[in-house]
Amino acid sequence: MNRVRLSMLVWLVATAAFGHEGHQPLPTRGVQLDLKSGKISLSRSARELIDVRTAAAERRESIERLRAYATIVAPWTKYAVVTSRLPGRVVALHVRPGDAVEAGQVLAEVDSLDLHTLRLDYQQALNDIDLSEKILAGVEPAAKAGSISGQKLIEAQQAHRQNLNTLQVLQTKAAALNVDEGTLATDEESRPLRLPIRSTVGGVVVHADLAVGKFIEPTEHLMDIVDLSTVWVRIGVLEQDWHRVAAGQTVRLTVSGLPGRVFETKVDKLGLMLDPQTHQSIAWAELPNSDKSPALRPGMNGQAELSWKSPKPTLAVPSQAVLSDGAERYVLVEEAAAKEGSEYQKVAVVVGRQSAGHTEIIAGKLLPDDRVVTRGGHELSSLFFLGVLRIGAETARTIGLKVEPATTRVVDRILSFDGALDVPPQQRTTASSQLSGKLVNIRVDRGQSVKAGEVLAEIASLELQDIQLELLRNHLDSELWSGTLARLRNVSDSVPRRQVLETEGRVRTLETKSANLRQKLLTLGLTARQIEGVLKTKRVVDALPVRAPIAGAVVDFDRMLGQVVRADESLFEIHDMSQVRVQAFVGERDSARVQVGQTARIRLVAHPDLETDGIVTRIGPVVGADSRTQAAWIEFKQPPSVSLQHNMAVRITLTTDSPASSLAVPLNAVVRDGLRSFVFVQKADGTFDRRRIELGRADDRFVEIKIGLTAGEMIATSGVPQIQTAYAAVR
């Protein structure tokens, strides 16, 4: 055993007898070191002078964390705006901001001219029915007695049925507007006719732009109602961090408006589209609110900390116990502790993540309950300064060291471009309503997969109501005239031929119009069964369905319940991610060098460890006037196994030529110090030398070596930045 006293070490290592900045100086007596075995012996006085402290290694849950900005938003189905279905003047207001309301509760009442017109038409229909009924009662006996022709009876019957049909259509219209039919039969003084404005959701009135006497339009935003029992947390995650996020991770939320409070929840959904402006994607979480005093309110901003644990507890030590000489990581383990002195063993370790003041130990000859030096270690570590750069096996694992021989390789001539993931237009679409109306129901959630034709939302539309009423009126008229035609044919001898032909023409016209109206409703999204139900029950379908044009996932929605939307206004965005391609932005001067069929290497910012190949399949015909770039589309040879999103940033490399091979090394093997370049060469004894080299041509993977290296020499190709740090410490 090569034991030397500290007085000899002072001669070997200039720094050994002096304290590091902020640490105690080493004693000049009572210290023994065995460099070969890595063992240090301290006398009692030396141990006390350095003030050595130890702590036990223990198994702990390793936790990784990610911070991001967050915003509180209301769930899609818990925030609603209030609008009126008809124009009119507000005559009663039953709530004010801050009031709690229930779904369906009357918030205000409107005096609408349209309702008065409906009442007038209804009462006129009742009068017409009364009159036609009396006329028919007088005509029927006369027709039986033969004093009048059968044609007169048919005309009286037809007039009465037309009046009944008119009343039926008006009753259907009143039901669609939630107007009591009994009110229509009375006058204004006895029973005033008012349109009730009801709440779509239960919650609290947070805004009201309404006053008695104000005239309002159907498109006007009157009130906001929010149910604060549950809120969503919208977490914006940077693209380069997206690969670290997963559903189920713990979220600790702090908001600016509630200092000192921390809210804990979990990530429940992940966004499916990247914002091209902010380069963020969205992780969603949900939080309950207090029923009596909701603390979290939509619009609040804060910070979310996402955290996730290792699959099982790992061995960890206090972070100050981990020592380093640049690349080497080790701890000093207390092997013997007595009153007269102590012994400590240098143990190389592979370290992992740091969390809560502890460092994870991935590998090394360290066991649970081993006591490691947590104070005084920096002073003792100076004893192991060797003056050479040697990487132990455990340290090699820590830094991911890889050593391989320098060899000849093909260094391609390349073109490099920025790009973005692109979902083809036929697989990326929006869903919208074909008629203007009020959004009354949302049937899908964030990121939900939907089938083509599936109902996403429902729109209450007066135009839809009018089309159904027109179909119902036309259907009733068609039945009436078909019956009239049958009766005319039965008495054809006493009826002019022209009248029969005119009736036949009218029946055909009504049937054609009914068929057209049916097709129109089918095109708008109603099913054949729903249309038959309208004709059978004499009740209209309340809302128009908004259906998914394609199968895919809902990636975007930015509307509120109760909001009035225009026809063809985009409501939902749906992406089918089964076939994603890359769009490259080729600079104008390089466009002639890009050809269909070229192989491309593709790297994603969101998934830095992924490299995959693709083929150029199409090149755009024009150069952008502002960007001065030409689009080229690249298809993946093999779809990546990671989750992809539209607009994810991509780096593309195209090979334009493959010259003869030459001596080359991976790009990661080269370190730069100012304008000079170096590689780390491993010698026969396992130590490393930093050697200056002269570089030649480079592609996206390798760089040519012109001077300074010969084929077969062993060089470090990964873990090089850590070796450079160790080299600086040794030097």
Side-chain angles (χ1 to χ4, degrees), residues 125-191:
L126 291 179
N127 292 334
D128 291 343
I129 289 172
D130 183 61
L131 177 60
S132 62
E133 191 173 30
K134 291 177 180 178
I135 292 174
L136 183 59
V139 169
E140 284 179 339
K144 288 181 180 180
S147 57
I148 62 173
S149 65
Q151 181 180 350
K152 294 291 185 181
L153 176 61
I154 292 174
E155 290 174 353
Q157 291 172 336
Q158 182 177 353
H160 184 59
R161 289 194 183 94
Q162 280 182 322
N163 292 333
L164 291 174
N165 289 348
T166 299
L167 179 64
Q168 204 161 45
V169 171
L170 291 171
Q171 289 170 333
T172 301
K173 185 174 183 178
L177 292 172
N178 294 317
V179 175
D180 181 18
E181 187 179 348
T183 306
L184 295 177
T186 61
D187 57 33
E188 182 67 16
E189 291 185 2
S190 58
R191 292 187 66 178

Side-chain angles (χ1 to χ4, degrees), residues 73-75 78 227-232 286-289:
V73 298
K78 293 184 179 293
D227 177 359
L228 293 174
S229 60
T230 303
V231 294
W232 286 347
E286 189 173 290
L287 277 169
N289 249 330

Side-chain angles (χ1 to χ4, degrees), residues 471 475 518 527-538:
L471 173 63
H475 173 72
R518 282 172 178 267
T527 64
R529 185 175 181 179
Q530 286 177 310
I531 296 171
E532 290 301 323
V534 171
L535 302 179
K536 184 176 180 179
T537 64
K538 309 299 187 293

